[in-house]
Amino acid sequence: MITVERKDSFHLKISRVLQEETSHRLDLFLFVPGELGLNEHVISEDAFYYSAIHVKRTYYSDKHHLPLVLSRLASRGRLSTEQYRLSLSLYAYQYVVALERATQTLLDTARRVQQAESHAETSERAETQGGEPNEADAGSEPRERIVAAGLQERLEELCELAQGILRRLRRNQPSDDGLLKYYANIDNYLSWFTEQRLLALVAYLPRGRDYRTIRERLLEICLAESEHREQAEYNASRVVRDPTRMSNKMRLLRRLIEYPVTLKQQTQELGGAEQKAVKGLATGVVMVFVSLGLLQARDTVGNITALFVLAMAVLYAMREVFKDDLRNTLWRWLRKGRPKWRRQYFDATSGKPVGRQLEWFDYKRFGKLDEQIQRVRQRNVAQREEMVLHYRSSSRMSPTRFLSGYEKTRETLSLDLSQLTRLMDKGSHRVYRLKEGQVSRESVEKRHLLNLVVREEVANAEPILQRWKIVMSRSRIVDVVKVHQEGGKPVEQEEGQTESPVA
């Protein structure tokens, strides 16, 4: 399953969990509006790949208690110290990723509830002043109440899960000094991170009596985590008083958690030797014709005269022109459809290679895409001039070389869209609205709509296709919404269903 979410102002995070028993292929098609004027001359393909596409893979286990069990065995001396670090880091990393995703969803829901409540208050004031109630607003009130009730239930569930996970982590504190130091760093970060995410929820909760109980519970958990860190003496007083120092320290602890479970990688650009061979071949072919031209000119002119020198200069000028054209033509023909980069993955502890990945990236036009992608895109006449950025990856891993007990990896692809913001206009325009009998003037920033089509191909299953709408302005990514999804059914299951009536 592929998820696309907004990471920060200009980054998209595309995540998927891979069962590394077969090969996988991922295609990303980013449809950029033609009015931005994006092409390979404005931003080259290599420049966009190196600056905007960042891939990271970590170990993953859907058995959430397995890392904690392994860490407890290591703390009792049955496993090595490295095994303890790996297992505890994986347990903490899975908790951090899950809490980030859960709180981000709750924050979006809380913002929608806030907007609905403010809109309802505006409608009530209009009614008291003699206006007529809006039927659309009246119909949306029950729906928003259901959303608000669901928000409280999800917040209660989040509190229970967070407290339970932290309680299980602290139940078995190691006695060894080396293990205790690493445990303290993990516990320190998880406590601080939980407090920060819950405080963010409190900040965006709607102001009302209905949320007073859940707000008090969230604040109670935050105070308990703060007291826990203070009693354990995890942080010095000067660090606690300075938010910058505290944030930088926690950022380093986050890297400490991610390092053991993140696969090391090396990226290599393919075609280096072929490029040299093409350059030499093009130079040799052109020099053959230049030499034949010089011999013909010598036979025609005779002695070395000004006419012969002029003819030689023209031939050398033609050599410089046609050499580059011939080299570029041969290079494009030779590399067409072939991968441009190879990414190799290594285990962070043992250093053994655990897999590799081939990658493509190029600019395309809509007419050159296959029919499946064109159908999912559902393009109309207004988007005829779109430029398509196509990224493809094909990976194959070796699960037998993975850390013991793990057969899956989690791939996170970060897509930086800040380079596209430079092509957007800075200006804004004003919109006039009639509100409560008065005309209000609002400044509106120009926004652009991008479409992201994702296709994932795995063995023994139909390709999964998704389409996401990305609303973006010059200052930030405004919204990311999934509008279409299809595929993903196992092929064997379909064959079994077709054969069952015959049987």
Side-chain angles (χ1 to χ4, degrees):
M1 186 64 181
I2 301 175
T3 59
V4 180
E5 54 189 353
R6 181 180 54 205
K7 185 178 180 181
D8 52 30
S9 298
F10 298 111
H11 288 78
L12 289 177
K13 186 171 70 173
I14 305 170
S15 306
R16 57 175 181 156
V17 176
L18 304 178
Q19 180 73 35
E20 301 297 354
E21 295 180 354
T22 56
S23 60
H24 298 266
R25 173 172 289 186
L26 176 68
D27 287 280
L28 301 178
F29 299 88
L30 183 63
F31 295 81
V32 180
E35 60 183 357
L36 297 183
L38 177 65
N39 53 54
E40 61 273 10
H41 301 292
V42 177
I43 304 176
S44 64
E45 297 173 353
D46 293 350
F48 193 91
Y49 171 83
Y50 284 112
S51 61
I53 299 177
H54 308 282
V55 182
K56 181 175 67 174
R57 283 204 181 190
T58 58
Y59 286 119
Y60 179 84
S61 174
D62 51 4
K63 302 176 182 178
H64 302 294
H65 300 295
L66 176 61
L68 189 60
V69 171
L70 293 177
S71 63
R72 289 177 179 176
L73 291 175
S75 64
R76 295 173 184 173
R78 299 182 184 180
L79 297 176
S80 63
T81 304
E82 292 296 330
Q83 186 71 30
Y84 177 84
R85 291 185 58 189
L86 287 169
S87 302
L88 195 63
S89 295
L90 184 59
Y91 184 81
Y93 180 74
Q94 291 182 189
Y95 169 70
V96 167
V97 171
L99 186 61
E100 279 182 342
R101 181 178 300 174
T103 52
Q104 184 62 43
T105 305
L106 292 173
L107 283 172
D108 295 338
T109 306
R111 292 190 185 100
R112 291 200 303 269
V113 174
Q114 272 187 342
Q115 293 175 0
E117 290 184 352
S118 62
H119 189 68
E121 292 176 359
T122 304
S123 301
E124 291 178 359
R125 286 197 300 267
E127 291 179 10
T128 56
Q129 295 176 2
E132 296 182 358
N134 193 346
E135 296 181 358
D137 296 340
S140 62
E141 287 181 3
R143 183 172 62 253
E144 295 300 338
R145 289 177 183 175
I146 295 175
V147 173
L151 175 61
Q152 296 183 26
E153 295 177 358
R154 291 162 64 187
L155 287 172
E156 291 285 351
E157 183 181 6
L158 177 68
C159 294
E160 293 291 341
L161 291 175
Q163 287 181 311
I165 291 173
L166 294 178
R167 193 182 303 116
R168 285 191 292 270
L169 173 68
R170 297 162 183 168
R171 191 177 298 167
N172 190 18
Q173 185 173 340
S175 57
D176 184 75
D177 293 338
L179 301 182
L180 181 61
K181 184 178 180 181
Y182 194 79
Y183 164 84
N185 289 330
I186 298 292
D187 188 30
N188 186 16
Y189 177 78
L190 294 186
S191 175
W192 178 84
F193 183 77
T194 303
E195 178 187 353
Q196 291 296 309
R197 302 305 296 181
L198 296 186
L199 287 177
L201 288 173
V202 173
Y204 285 97
L205 273 181
R207 307 297 179 183
R209 299 178 182 177
D210 298 336
Y211 298 94
R212 181 178 299 174
T213 304
I214 189 62
R215 182 182 291 106
E216 292 177 354
R217 183 175 182 184
L218 291 173
L219 293 176
E220 182 182 351
I221 297 175
C222 294
L223 291 175
E225 292 301 324
S226 179
E227 293 177 359
H228 172 73
R229 296 194 305 273
E230 185 177 355
Q231 292 176 1
E233 297 181 355
Y234 285 152
N235 307 296
S237 58
R238 65 178 184 277
V239 176
V240 176
R241 290 192 301 267
D242 190 351
T244 304
R245 285 187 175 184
M246 192 70 172
S247 177
N248 291 335
K249 179 180 179 179
M250 295 303 164
R251 181 173 53 86
L252 295 177
L253 293 182
R254 175 68 177 263
R255 294 181 59 185
L256 180 67
I257 292 175
E258 293 180 352
Y259 178 78
V261 300
T262 303
L263 300 179
K264 293 182 179 180
Q265 53 182 315
Q266 293 181 357
T267 305
Q268 178 185 1
E269 187 173 0
L270 302 178
E274 296 175 355
Q275 189 174 12
K276 294 179 180 178
V278 168
K279 184 177 181 180
L281 177 62
T283 303
V285 171
V286 173
M287 282 303 299
V288 168
F289 288 98
V290 170
S291 301
L292 293 176
L294 288 176
L295 293 176
Q296 185 65 29
R298 177 66 181 273
D299 294 339
T300 304
V301 177
N303 296 327
I304 300 178
T305 60
L307 184 60
F308 177 75
V309 174
L310 179 61
M312 187 170 59
V314 171
L315 289 174
Y316 274 98
M318 295 176 62
R319 184 198 70 168
E320 294 299 325
V321 172
F322 289 104
K323 181 182 68 174
D324 295 336
D325 292 343
L326 181 60
R327 182 183 61 188
N328 295 334
T329 303
L330 289 176
W331 177 247
R332 287 195 300 267
W333 173 78
L334 183 63
R335 299 298 303 175
K336 184 178 180 180
R338 301 178 64 183
K340 296 182 179 180
W341 298 275
R342 180 173 59 217
R343 195 185 300 267
Q344 293 182 328
Y345 293 100
F346 302 88
D347 185 83
T349 304
S350 63
K352 296 180 180 179
V354 295
R356 68 172 187 172
Q357 178 171 288
L358 300 176
E359 298 178 337
W360 295 256
F361 182 79
D362 53 0
Y363 292 167
K364 289 186 177 181
R365 288 294 180 182
F366 184 82
K368 295 185 178 180
L369 302 178
D370 54 75
E371 296 181 358
Q372 195 177 44
I373 301 300
Q374 292 183 8
R375 176 179 53 81
V376 174
R377 171 61 186 91
Q378 297 178 354
R379 193 184 65 159
N380 53 29
V381 180
Q383 295 133 357
R384 184 176 299 172
E385 300 298 330
E386 281 182 327
M387 175 62 71
V388 184
L389 279 64
H390 177 211
Y391 168 81
R392 170 181 290 179
S393 66
S394 177
S395 61
R396 179 177 289 274
M397 308 293 283
S398 300
T400 56
R401 299 182 181 179
F402 281 3
L403 181 66
S404 177
Y406 303 102
E407 297 179 353
K408 297 181 181 180
T409 59
R410 175 186 174 88
E411 181 184 75
T412 304
L413 190 148
S414 177
L415 187 59
D416 186 5
L417 301 180
S418 60
Q419 296 193 47
L420 301 181
T421 59
R422 304 170 189 172
L423 307 177
M424 299 179 182
D425 298 333
K426 296 182 180 180
S428 60
H429 58 279
R430 298 185 181 277
V431 175
Y432 298 89
R433 299 175 60 186
L434 182 61
K435 189 175 182 180
E436 299 180 2
Q438 296 182 356
V439 178
S440 61
R441 182 177 59 182
E442 299 179 2
S443 179
V444 179
E445 188 178 15
K446 186 177 181 180
R447 295 179 178 179
H448 299 271
L449 178 61
L450 284 69
N451 280 267
L452 178 66
V453 176
V454 182
R455 178 173 61 189
E456 183 184 23
E457 298 179 10
V458 295
N460 302 325
E462 295 180 355
I464 301 175
L465 289 114
Q466 298 177 350
R467 183 165 72 94
W468 300 74
K469 282 187 177 182
I470 304 168
V471 182
M472 187 176 179
S473 66
R474 184 177 173 85
S475 58
R476 64 189 177 94
I477 297 175
V478 180
D479 195 12
V480 180
V481 181
K482 182 169 69 173
V483 296
H484 179 78
Q485 179 173 346
E486 64 179 49
K489 297 181 180 179
V491 177
E492 297 179 356
Q493 181 179 357
E494 291 185 352
E495 293 177 355
Q497 291 177 356
T498 55
E499 294 176 359
S500 58
V502 179

